Coordinates of all heavy atoms in Angstrom, one line a residue:
M1 N 0.9 -1.2 0.0 CA 0.0 0.0 0.0 C 0.9 1.2 0.0 O 2.0 1.2 0.5 CB -0.9 0.0 1.2 CG -1.9 -1.1 1.2 SD -3.0 -1.3 2.7 CE -3.1 0.2 3.4
S2 N 0.3 2.3 -0.5 CA 1.1 3.6 -0.5 C 0.1 4.7 -0.5 O -1.1 4.6 -0.8 CB 2.0 3.7 -1.7 OG 1.2 3.8 -2.9
G3 N 0.6 5.9 -0.2 CA -0.3 7.1 -0.1 C -1.0 7.3 1.2 O -0.4 6.9 2.2
S4 N -2.2 7.7 1.2 CA -3.0 7.9 2.4 C -4.2 7.0 2.4 O -4.8 6.7 1.4 CB -3.5 9.4 2.4 OG -2.4 10.3 2.6
C5 N -4.5 6.6 3.6 CA -5.7 5.7 3.8 C -6.7 6.6 4.6 O -6.6 6.8 5.8 CB -5.4 4.5 4.7 SG -4.2 3.4 3.8
D6 N -7.7 7.1 3.8 CA -8.6 8.0 4.4 C -10.0 7.9 3.7 O -10.2 7.0 2.9 CB -8.1 9.5 4.4 CG -7.7 10.0 3.0 OD1 -8.2 9.4 2.0 OD2 -6.9 10.9 3.0
L7 N -10.9 8.9 3.9 CA -12.2 8.9 3.3 C -12.1 8.7 1.7 O -12.9 7.9 1.2 CB -13.0 10.1 3.6 CG -14.4 10.2 3.0 CD1 -15.3 9.1 3.6 CD2 -15.0 11.6 3.4
D8 N -11.2 9.3 1.1 CA -11.1 9.3 -0.3 C -10.6 7.9 -0.9 O -10.8 7.5 -2.0 CB -10.1 10.3 -0.8 CG -10.6 11.8 -0.6 OD1 -11.8 11.9 -0.6 OD2 -9.7 12.7 -0.5
T9 N -9.9 7.1 0.0 CA -9.4 5.8 -0.5 C -10.0 4.7 0.2 O -9.5 3.5 0.1 CB -7.8 5.8 -0.3 OG1 -7.5 6.0 1.1 CG2 -7.2 6.9 -1.1
R10 N -11.0 4.9 1.0 CA -11.6 3.8 1.8 C -12.1 2.6 1.0 O -11.8 1.5 1.4 CB -12.8 4.4 2.6 CG -13.1 3.5 3.8 CD -13.9 4.2 4.9 NE -13.0 5.1 5.5 CZ -13.5 6.3 6.0 NH1 -14.7 6.6 5.9 NH2 -12.6 7.1 6.6
Q11 N -12.7 2.8 -0.2 CA -13.1 1.8 -1.0 C -11.9 0.9 -1.5 O -11.9 -0.3 -1.6 CB -13.9 2.3 -2.2 CG -15.3 2.8 -1.8 CD -16.2 1.6 -1.4 OE1 -16.1 1.0 -0.4 NE2 -17.1 1.3 -2.3
A12 N -10.8 1.6 -1.9 CA -9.6 1.0 -2.4 C -9.0 0.1 -1.3 O -8.5 -1.0 -1.5 CB -8.6 2.0 -3.0
L13 N -9.0 0.6 -0.1 CA -8.5 -0.1 1.1 C -9.3 -1.4 1.3 O -8.7 -2.4 1.5 CB -8.4 0.8 2.3 CG -7.9 0.1 3.6 CD1 -6.5 -0.4 3.5 CD2 -8.1 1.0 4.8
S14 N -10.6 -1.2 1.3 CA -11.4 -2.4 1.5 C -11.2 -3.5 0.4 O -11.1 -4.7 0.7 CB -12.9 -2.0 1.5 OG -13.2 -1.2 2.6
S15 N -11.0 -3.0 -0.8 CA -10.8 -4.0 -1.9 C -9.4 -4.6 -1.7 O -9.2 -5.8 -1.9 CB -10.8 -3.2 -3.3 OG -12.1 -2.8 -3.6
A16 N -8.4 -3.8 -1.4 CA -7.1 -4.4 -1.1 C -7.0 -5.4 0.0 O -6.4 -6.4 -0.1 CB -6.1 -3.2 -0.9
L17 N -7.8 -5.1 1.1 CA -7.8 -6.0 2.2 C -8.5 -7.3 1.9 O -8.2 -8.3 2.4 CB -8.4 -5.3 3.4 CG -7.5 -4.2 4.1 CD1 -8.3 -3.5 5.2 CD2 -6.2 -4.7 4.6
G18 N -9.5 -7.2 1.0 CA -10.2 -8.4 0.5 C -9.2 -9.3 -0.3 O -9.2 -10.5 -0.1
V19 N -8.3 -8.7 -1.1 CA -7.3 -9.4 -1.8 C -6.3 -10.0 -0.8 O -5.9 -11.2 -0.9 CB -6.6 -8.5 -2.8 CG1 -5.4 -9.2 -3.4 CG2 -7.6 -8.1 -3.9
V20 N -5.9 -9.3 0.2 CA -5.0 -9.7 1.2 C -5.5 -10.9 1.9 O -4.8 -11.9 2.2 CB -4.6 -8.6 2.1 CG1 -3.9 -9.1 3.4 CG2 -3.7 -7.5 1.4
A21 N -6.8 -10.9 2.3 CA -7.4 -11.9 3.0 C -7.4 -13.2 2.2 O -7.4 -14.3 2.7 CB -8.8 -11.5 3.4
G22 N -7.5 -13.1 0.9 CA -7.5 -14.3 0.0 C -6.1 -14.9 -0.3 O -6.0 -15.9 -0.9
M23 N -5.1 -14.2 0.2 CA -3.7 -14.7 -0.1 C -3.4 -15.9 0.8 O -3.9 -16.0 1.9 CB -2.7 -13.6 0.3 CG -2.7 -12.5 -0.7 SD -1.4 -11.3 -0.2 CE -1.3 -10.3 -1.7
P24 N -2.7 -16.9 0.2 CA -2.4 -18.1 0.9 C -1.3 -17.9 2.0 O -0.6 -16.9 1.9 CB -1.9 -19.1 -0.2 CG -1.4 -18.2 -1.2 CD -2.2 -16.9 -1.2
G25 N -1.3 -18.8 2.9 CA -0.2 -18.7 3.9 C -0.7 -18.5 5.3 O -1.7 -17.9 5.5
A26 N 0.1 -18.9 6.2 CA -0.2 -18.7 7.6 C -0.1 -17.3 8.1 O -0.7 -16.8 9.0 CB 0.6 -19.6 8.5
V27 N 0.9 -16.6 7.5 CA 1.1 -15.2 7.8 C 1.1 -14.4 6.5 O 1.7 -14.7 5.5 CB 2.5 -15.0 8.4 CG1 2.8 -13.5 8.8 CG2 2.7 -15.8 9.7
V28 N 0.2 -13.3 6.6 CA 0.1 -12.4 5.4 C 0.8 -11.1 5.8 O 0.6 -10.5 6.9 CB -1.4 -12.1 5.1 CG1 -1.5 -11.0 4.0 CG2 -2.1 -13.3 4.7
H29 N 1.8 -10.7 5.0 CA 2.6 -9.5 5.3 C 2.1 -8.3 4.5 O 1.8 -8.5 3.3 CB 4.1 -9.8 4.9 CG 4.7 -10.9 5.7 ND1 5.4 -10.7 6.8 CD2 4.7 -12.2 5.5 CE1 5.8 -11.8 7.3 NE2 5.5 -12.8 6.5
L30 N 1.9 -7.2 5.2 CA 1.4 -6.0 4.6 C 2.4 -4.9 4.8 O 2.7 -4.5 5.9 CB 0.1 -5.6 5.2 CG -0.7 -4.5 4.5 CD1 -0.9 -4.8 3.0 CD2 -2.0 -4.2 5.2
D31 N 3.1 -4.5 3.7 CA 4.1 -3.4 3.7 C 3.4 -2.0 3.7 O 2.8 -1.7 2.7 CB 5.0 -3.6 2.5 CG 6.1 -2.5 2.5 OD1 6.2 -1.7 3.4 OD2 6.9 -2.5 1.5
L32 N 3.6 -1.3 4.8 CA 3.0 0.0 4.9 C 4.1 1.1 4.9 O 3.8 2.3 5.2 CB 2.2 0.1 6.2 CG 1.1 -0.9 6.4 CD1 0.5 -0.8 7.8 CD2 0.0 -0.7 5.3
S33 N 5.2 0.8 4.4 CA 6.4 1.7 4.5 C 6.2 3.0 3.6 O 6.8 4.0 3.9 CB 7.7 1.0 4.1 OG 7.6 0.6 2.7
T34 N 5.3 2.9 2.6 CA 5.1 4.1 1.8 C 3.7 4.7 2.0 O 3.2 5.6 1.3 CB 5.2 3.8 0.3 OG1 4.3 2.8 -0.1 CG2 6.7 3.4 0.0
V35 N 3.0 4.3 3.1 CA 1.7 4.9 3.5 C 2.1 6.1 4.4 O 2.8 6.0 5.4 CB 0.9 3.9 4.3 CG1 -0.4 4.6 4.8 CG2 0.5 2.7 3.4
L36 N 1.5 7.2 4.0 CA 1.8 8.5 4.7 C 0.9 8.7 5.9 O 1.2 9.4 6.8 CB 1.7 9.6 3.7 CG 2.6 9.6 2.5 CD1 2.3 10.7 1.5 CD2 4.1 9.6 2.9
F37 N -0.4 8.2 5.8 CA -1.4 8.6 6.8 C -2.4 7.5 6.8 O -2.9 7.0 5.7 CB -2.0 9.9 6.4 CG -3.2 10.3 7.4 CD1 -2.9 10.8 8.6 CD2 -4.5 10.1 6.9 CE1 -4.0 11.1 9.5 CE2 -5.5 10.4 7.7 CZ -5.3 10.9 9.0
C38 N -2.9 7.2 8.0 CA -4.1 6.3 8.1 C -5.0 6.9 9.1 O -4.7 7.2 10.2 CB -3.7 4.9 8.7 SG -2.9 3.8 7.6
D39 N -6.3 7.1 8.7 CA -7.3 7.6 9.6 C -7.8 6.5 10.5 O -7.5 5.3 10.3 CB -8.4 8.4 8.9 CG -9.3 7.6 8.0 OD1 -9.2 6.3 8.0 OD2 -10.1 8.2 7.3
A40 N -8.6 6.9 11.5 CA -9.1 5.9 12.4 C -10.0 4.8 11.7 O -9.9 3.6 12.1 CB -9.9 6.5 13.5
A41 N -10.8 5.2 10.8 CA -11.6 4.2 10.0 C -10.7 3.2 9.3 O -11.1 2.0 9.2 CB -12.5 4.9 9.1
S42 N -9.6 3.7 8.8 CA -8.7 2.8 8.0 C -8.0 1.8 9.0 O -7.9 0.6 8.7 CB -7.6 3.6 7.3 OG -8.2 4.4 6.3
V43 N -7.7 2.3 10.1 CA -7.1 1.4 11.2 C -8.1 0.4 11.6 O -7.8 -0.8 11.8 CB -6.6 2.2 12.4 CG1 -6.1 1.3 13.5 CG2 -5.5 3.2 12.0
A44 N -9.4 0.8 11.7 CA -10.5 -0.1 12.1 C -10.6 -1.2 11.0 O -10.9 -2.4 11.3 CB -11.8 0.6 12.3
A45 N -10.5 -0.8 9.8 CA -10.5 -1.8 8.7 C -9.4 -2.8 8.8 O -9.6 -4.0 8.6 CB -10.5 -1.1 7.3
L46 N -8.2 -2.3 9.1 CA -7.1 -3.2 9.3 C -7.3 -4.2 10.5 O -7.0 -5.3 10.5 CB -5.8 -2.5 9.5 CG -5.2 -1.7 8.3 CD1 -4.2 -0.7 8.7 CD2 -4.7 -2.7 7.3
V47 N -7.9 -3.7 11.6 CA -8.2 -4.5 12.7 C -9.2 -5.6 12.3 O -9.0 -6.8 12.7 CB -8.8 -3.6 13.9 CG1 -9.4 -4.5 15.0 CG2 -7.8 -2.7 14.5
R48 N -10.3 -5.2 11.6 CA -11.2 -6.2 11.1 C -10.5 -7.3 10.3 O -10.9 -8.5 10.4 CB -12.4 -5.5 10.4 CG -13.3 -4.8 11.3 CD -14.6 -4.3 10.6 NE -14.3 -3.5 9.4 CZ -14.2 -2.1 9.5 NH1 -14.3 -1.5 10.7 NH2 -13.9 -1.5 8.4
A49 N -9.7 -6.9 9.4 CA -9.0 -7.8 8.5 C -8.1 -8.8 9.3 O -8.1 -10.0 9.1 CB -8.2 -7.1 7.4
S50 N -7.4 -8.2 10.3 CA -6.6 -9.0 11.1 C -7.4 -10.0 11.9 O -7.0 -11.2 12.1 CB -5.7 -8.1 12.0 OG -4.9 -8.8 12.8
A51 N -8.5 -9.5 12.5 CA -9.3 -10.4 13.3 C -10.0 -11.5 12.4 O -10.0 -12.7 12.9 CB -10.5 -9.6 13.9
A52 N -10.3 -11.2 11.1 CA -10.8 -12.2 10.3 C -9.8 -13.3 9.9 O -10.1 -14.5 10.0 CB -11.4 -11.6 9.0
L53 N -8.6 -12.9 9.7 CA -7.5 -13.8 9.4 C -7.2 -14.6 10.7 O -7.0 -15.8 10.6 CB -6.2 -13.1 8.9 CG -6.3 -12.6 7.5 CD1 -5.1 -11.7 7.2 CD2 -6.3 -13.7 6.5
S54 N -7.2 -14.0 11.8 CA -7.0 -14.7 13.1 C -8.1 -15.8 13.3 O -7.8 -16.9 13.7 CB -7.0 -13.7 14.2 OG -6.8 -14.4 15.5
G55 N -9.3 -15.5 12.9 CA -10.4 -16.5 13.0 C -10.1 -17.7 12.1 O -10.7 -18.8 12.3
Q56 N -9.3 -17.5 11.1 CA -8.9 -18.6 10.2 C -7.6 -19.3 10.6 O -7.0 -20.2 9.9 CB -8.7 -18.1 8.7 CG -9.9 -17.5 8.1 CD -9.5 -16.8 6.8 OE1 -8.5 -16.9 6.3 NE2 -10.5 -16.0 6.3
G57 N -7.1 -18.9 11.8 CA -5.8 -19.4 12.3 C -4.7 -18.8 11.5 O -3.6 -19.4 11.5
R58 N -4.8 -17.6 11.0 CA -3.8 -17.0 10.2 C -3.4 -15.6 10.9 O -4.1 -15.2 11.9 CB -4.2 -16.8 8.8 CG -4.6 -18.1 8.2 CD -5.3 -17.9 6.8 NE -4.4 -17.3 5.9 CZ -4.9 -16.5 4.8 NH1 -6.1 -16.3 4.7 NH2 -4.0 -16.0 4.0
R59 N -2.4 -15.0 10.4 CA -2.0 -13.7 11.0 C -1.8 -12.6 9.9 O -1.3 -13.0 8.8 CB -0.6 -13.8 11.7 CG -0.7 -14.7 12.9 CD 0.7 -15.1 13.5 NE 1.6 -14.0 13.5 CZ 3.0 -14.1 13.4 NH1 3.5 -15.3 13.2 NH2 3.8 -13.1 13.5
L60 N -2.1 -11.4 10.2 CA -1.7 -10.3 9.4 C -0.6 -9.5 10.1 O -0.8 -9.1 11.2 CB -3.0 -9.3 9.2 CG -2.7 -8.1 8.4 CD1 -2.3 -8.4 7.0 CD2 -4.0 -7.2 8.4
L61 N 0.5 -9.4 9.4 CA 1.7 -8.8 10.0 C 1.9 -7.5 9.2 O 2.2 -7.5 8.1 CB 2.9 -9.7 9.9 CG 4.2 -9.2 10.7 CD1 3.9 -9.0 12.1 CD2 5.2 -10.3 10.5
L62 N 1.9 -6.4 10.0 CA 2.1 -5.0 9.4 C 3.5 -4.6 9.5 O 4.1 -4.7 10.6 CB 1.2 -4.0 10.1 CG -0.3 -4.3 10.3 CD1 -1.0 -3.2 11.0 CD2 -0.9 -4.5 8.9
H63 N 4.1 -4.2 8.4 CA 5.5 -3.7 8.4 C 5.6 -2.3 8.2 O 4.9 -1.7 7.3 CB 6.2 -4.4 7.2 CG 6.4 -5.9 7.4 ND1 7.4 -6.5 8.1 CD2 5.5 -6.9 7.0 CE1 7.3 -7.8 8.1 NE2 6.1 -8.1 7.5
D64 N 6.3 -1.6 9.0 CA 6.6 -0.1 8.9 C 5.3 0.7 8.8 O 5.1 1.5 7.8 CB 7.5 0.2 7.6 CG 8.8 -0.5 7.7 OD1 9.4 -0.5 8.8 OD2 9.2 -1.1 6.7
P65 N 4.4 0.6 9.8 CA 3.2 1.4 9.7 C 3.5 2.9 10.0 O 4.5 3.3 10.6 CB 2.4 0.9 10.9 CG 3.4 0.3 11.9 CD 4.5 -0.2 11.0
P66 N 2.7 3.8 9.4 CA 2.9 5.2 9.6 C 2.7 5.6 11.0 O 2.0 5.0 11.8 CB 2.0 5.9 8.6 CG 0.9 4.9 8.5 CD 1.5 3.5 8.6
Y67 N 3.2 6.8 11.4 CA 3.0 7.4 12.7 C 1.5 7.5 13.1 O 1.2 7.1 14.2 CB 3.7 8.7 12.7 CG 3.5 9.5 14.0 CD1 4.3 9.1 15.1 CD2 2.6 10.5 14.1 CE1 4.1 9.8 16.4 CE2 2.5 11.2 15.3 CZ 3.2 10.8 16.4 OH 3.1 11.5 17.6
S68 N 0.7 7.9 12.1 CA -0.7 8.0 12.4 C -1.4 6.7 12.9 O -2.2 6.7 13.8 CB -1.5 8.6 11.2 OG -1.2 7.8 10.1
L69 N -1.0 5.6 12.2 CA -1.5 4.3 12.6 C -1.1 4.0 14.1 O -1.8 3.5 14.9 CB -1.1 3.2 11.7 CG -1.7 1.8 11.9 CD1 -1.9 1.2 10.6 CD2 -0.9 1.0 12.8
R70 N 0.2 4.2 14.3 CA 0.8 3.9 15.7 C 0.0 4.8 16.7 O -0.2 4.3 17.8 CB 2.3 4.1 15.7 CG 3.0 3.1 14.8 CD 4.5 3.1 15.1 NE 5.1 4.4 14.9 CZ 5.7 4.9 13.9 NH1 5.7 4.3 12.7 NH2 6.2 6.2 13.9
M71 N -0.3 6.0 16.4 CA -1.0 6.9 17.4 C -2.4 6.4 17.7 O -2.8 6.4 18.8 CB -1.0 8.3 16.8 CG 0.3 9.0 16.8 SD 1.2 8.9 18.4 CE 0.1 9.8 19.5
V72 N -3.1 5.9 16.6 CA -4.4 5.4 16.8 C -4.4 4.1 17.7 O -5.2 4.0 18.7 CB -5.1 5.1 15.5 CG1 -6.4 4.3 15.8 CG2 -5.4 6.4 14.7
V73 N -3.4 3.3 17.5 CA -3.2 2.1 18.3 C -2.9 2.5 19.7 O -3.4 1.8 20.7 CB -2.1 1.2 17.7 CG1 -1.7 0.1 18.7 CG2 -2.5 0.6 16.4
E74 N -2.1 3.5 20.0 CA -1.8 4.0 21.3 C -3.0 4.5 22.0 O -3.2 4.3 23.2 CB -0.7 5.0 21.3 CG 0.7 4.4 21.1 CD 1.8 5.4 21.2 OE1 1.6 6.5 21.9 OE2 2.8 5.2 20.5
M75 N -3.9 5.2 21.3 CA -5.0 5.8 21.8 C -6.1 4.8 22.1 O -6.9 5.0 23.0 CB -5.6 6.9 20.9 CG -4.7 8.1 20.9 SD -5.1 9.4 19.7 CE -6.7 9.1 19.1
F76 N -6.2 3.7 21.4 CA -7.2 2.7 21.5 C -6.6 1.3 21.5 O -6.8 0.5 20.6 CB -8.2 2.8 20.3 CG -8.9 4.1 20.2 CD1 -8.4 5.0 19.2 CD2 -9.9 4.5 21.0 CE1 -9.0 6.3 19.1 CE2 -10.5 5.7 20.9 CZ -10.0 6.6 19.9
P77 N -5.8 1.0 22.6 CA -5.1 -0.3 22.6 C -6.0 -1.5 22.6 O -5.6 -2.5 22.0 CB -4.2 -0.1 23.9 CG -4.9 0.9 24.7 CD -5.5 1.8 23.8
E78 N -7.0 -1.5 23.3 CA -7.9 -2.6 23.4 C -8.6 -2.9 22.1 O -8.7 -4.0 21.6 CB -9.0 -2.5 24.5 CG -8.4 -2.5 25.9 CD -9.4 -2.3 27.0 OE1 -10.6 -2.6 26.7 OE2 -9.0 -1.9 28.1
E79 N -9.1 -1.8 21.4 CA -9.7 -2.0 20.1 C -8.8 -2.4 19.0 O -9.2 -3.1 18.1 CB -10.4 -0.6 19.7 CG -11.6 -0.3 20.6 CD -11.2 0.5 21.9 OE1 -10.0 0.6 22.2 OE2 -12.1 1.0 22.6
C80 N -7.5 -2.1 19.2 CA -6.5 -2.4 18.2 C -5.6 -3.6 18.6 O -4.6 -3.9 17.9 CB -5.6 -1.2 17.9 SG -6.5 0.2 17.3
A81 N -6.0 -4.4 19.6 CA -5.2 -5.5 20.0 C -5.0 -6.5 19.0 O -4.0 -7.3 19.0 CB -5.9 -6.1 21.3
A82 N -5.9 -6.6 18.0 CA -5.7 -7.6 16.9 C -4.6 -7.3 16.0 O -4.1 -8.2 15.2 CB -7.0 -7.7 16.1
L83 N -4.1 -6.1 16.0 CA -3.0 -5.6 15.0 C -1.7 -6.2 15.5 O -1.4 -6.1 16.7 CB -3.0 -4.1 14.9 CG -4.2 -3.5 14.2 CD1 -4.0 -2.0 14.1 CD2 -4.4 -4.1 12.8
E84 N -0.9 -6.6 14.6 CA 0.4 -7.1 14.9 C 1.4 -6.4 14.0 O 1.3 -6.4 12.8 CB 0.5 -8.6 14.7 CG 1.8 -9.2 15.1 CD 1.9 -10.7 15.0 OE1 0.8 -11.3 14.6 OE2 3.0 -11.3 15.2
V85 N 2.4 -5.7 14.6 CA 3.4 -4.9 13.9 C 4.7 -5.7 14.0 O 5.1 -6.1 15.1 CB 3.5 -3.5 14.5 CG1 4.6 -2.7 13.7 CG2 2.2 -2.8 14.3
A86 N 5.4 -5.8 12.8 CA 6.7 -6.4 12.8 C 7.7 -5.6 13.6 O 7.6 -4.4 13.5 CB 7.2 -6.6 11.4
A87 N 8.6 -6.3 14.3 CA 9.6 -5.5 15.1 C 10.7 -4.9 14.2 O 10.9 -5.2 13.1 CB 10.3 -6.5 16.0

C-alpha cells in the first residue's frame, strides 16, 4: 500500500484488504512503508481484516506502519489489540 488511507481511499483499502485476506499462507505480510497517513476508520478496517484472518488461524503482520496508525493504536489499545506490527 502507498499514499494515504482516508475517506477518499476507503473503497480501495477495502478492496485491497479483501485481496490480502485471500492470499495463501499462515502469515500475510502488509508493507505500509510508503503509507503516509491512516485515519481511524482505516485502522479499524485493518483491525477487522486482522481479526478475520485470526479467525482462520492466520496472521496479518504489518510492516513499517505510519506514525498516524501507531498513534491510533496507542489511543485505542484494546480496540487495536488484533493488530500485529513487525519488530
